[in-house]
Amino acid sequence: MYWLPYLILVINLVIIWQMPKNLTKQEIYISWCVIALINLSTDVVFSFYFKLYELAGPGVQLPVHLIELTLGASFGIIFLNFTPEKIRPFLLYAGAWIVISMIFEIAFVKVHFLNYFTWKPWYSPPYYFGALLYLRWHLWFLRKPESYHDKT
């Protein structure tokens, strides 16, 4: 029925499996969980509470829930794995990822996996940019020396 997100997930998982790893296993694990939680929380708020869009029809659906917990996280791991450290290359890299994200978003609309209600496509690039900035900060936070972490 909604085959495109699942096909992309399989491709992403193959990419993750084959890519040269610039992330540790712990960074992948923690980042996957954080991204999945943020993705699921965002979709619950934007879709169910504010009714801005819906994924694959109304209501909670197990296959959609699976995609919410995996697809965004798989993209996030690939993004983080190759994230440049310097700011200018990062901004160019993030810009490319925003374009790629918009292409996937439009494809999901075309196959009726994503249905807009009051959401407008031009809302997405700033959202994606904020998410990518957060991921950059997240990786920095995971990697900063222990002496910089707050001792509680």
Side-chain angles (χ1 to χ4, degrees), residues 17-136:
W17 180 48
Q18 294 293 319
M19 70 185 181
K21 305 294 187 290
N22 298 318
L23 300 171
T24 66
K25 290 178 183 177
Q26 291 84 359
E27 288 169 342
I28 292 172
Y29 175 77
I30 292 167
S31 298
W32 188 288
C33 292
V34 167
I35 296 165
L37 178 63
I38 290 171
N39 190 58
L40 182 61
S41 299
T42 301
D43 281 342
V44 165
V45 171
F46 287 174
S47 180
F48 292 123
Y49 185 74
F50 288 116
K51 308 262 190 254
L52 300 176
Y53 57 81
E54 70 181 8
L55 299 174
V60 176
Q61 302 163 46
L62 186 57
V64 174
H65 190 67
L66 175 68
I67 283 297
E68 288 183 293
L69 292 173
T70 57
L71 186 59
S74 69
F75 276 116
I77 296 304
I78 296 168
F79 171 82
L80 281 175
N81 191 67
F82 299 106
T83 296
E85 288 186 29
K86 296 188 182 214
I87 193 68
R88 183 179 170 123
F90 170 78
L91 291 173
L92 294 172
Y93 181 70
W97 270 90
I98 291 168
V99 170
I100 291 166
S101 298
M102 288 305 302
I103 290 169
F104 282 116
E105 184 174 317
I106 291 164
F108 290 162
V109 169
K110 294 289 183 195
V111 299
H112 304 287
F113 180 77
L114 172 60
N115 302 303
Y116 296 140
F117 295 141
T118 57
W119 187 266
K120 305 292 183 217
W122 58 270
Y123 296 171
S124 298
Y127 173 82
Y128 292 140
F129 185 66
L132 297 177
L133 282 176
Y134 171 78
L135 286 179
R136 180 181 171 88

